[in-house]
Amino acid sequence: MTTRGVLYVHSAPRALCPHVEWAVAGVLGVRVTLDWIKQPAANGTWRAEFSWQGEVGTASKLASALRGWHLLRFEVTAEPCATAEGERYSSTPELGIFHAVTGMHGDILIPEDRLRAALARSVRGESDLEAEIAKLLGKPWDDELEPFRYAGEGAPVRWLHQVV
């Protein structure tokens, strides 16, 4: 079964750009050339988008291939298909990687054991329930990536939506 998705490289230093292309090509098994444009949110960095199609699990492989580079900000999405839910991976240098399962309408699906664990930490006074739920929804990653999602005047823009 195949699915499709999008890789959003929100910011990468110029020297890292060919390495990103090689990593993506290694996962997909085809030559990949990304259209890099300057990222106005961080001087000296570049951004690119790439639509891909592959087997279920490709988003995970792409995220794994890219996660080791500390200066890279990216997101990988995969659409749900007949045999699998969708996925979203977000990564920032400060926060590391976030993974969420998404439903057919793009909503983040949170497993009940993760909700129970968040509630238990809150009840024990270890954390605030609102902050726990925000982390489960990827809000810290959304907050950090939002300035990078805007491509700049004249560039193709594809906004990611936030579920409120």
Side-chain angles (χ1 to χ4, degrees):
M1 184 61 63
T2 62
T3 187
R4 61 185 176 186
V6 180
L7 165 64
Y8 302 92
V9 179
H10 293 298
S11 70
R14 187 64 170 161
L16 196 54
C17 294
H19 298 280
V20 170
E21 291 179 357
W22 297 330
V24 173
V27 170
L28 298 177
V30 296
R31 187 169 186 265
V32 172
T33 303
L34 302 178
D35 292 325
W36 295 98
I37 59 172
K38 288 185 179 183
Q39 172 54 271
N43 287 336
T45 65
W46 297 78
R47 68 177 315 281
E49 294 180 14
F50 181 73
S51 295
W52 57 269
Q53 185 170 346
E55 296 179 3
V56 171
T58 299
S60 173
K61 291 175 184 174
L62 287 169
S64 293
L66 299 175
R67 76 180 286 179
W69 293 315
H70 179 70
L71 298 174
L72 189 64
R73 288 178 182 84
F74 69 89
E75 291 181 278
V76 181
T77 63
E79 294 180 2
C81 63
T83 60
E85 300 287 356
E87 294 183 282
R88 175 181 152 214
Y89 293 86
S90 301
S91 182
T92 74
E94 291 77 22
L95 298 172
I97 200 155
F98 167 77
H99 171 252
V101 174
T102 57
M104 73 164 98
H105 300 293
D107 297 330
I108 291 177
L109 307 177
I110 302 171
E112 88 179 63
D113 62 328
R114 292 184 70 193
L115 285 169
R116 289 181 196 276
L119 183 58
R121 284 189 295 274
S122 175
V123 167
R124 290 191 305 263
E126 296 171 7
S127 64
D128 175 65
L129 183 59
E130 185 176 347
E132 288 283 336
I133 291 173
K135 284 195 296 189
L136 290 172
L137 294 172
K139 185 174 180 345
W141 287 264
D142 284 337
D143 291 346
E144 188 171 325
L145 290 172
E146 192 60 32
F148 295 91
R149 289 178 177 148
Y150 177 70
E153 191 173 316
V157 176
R158 184 179 310 186
W159 289 96
L160 301 176
H161 70 281
Q162 283 184 316
V163 178
V164 180

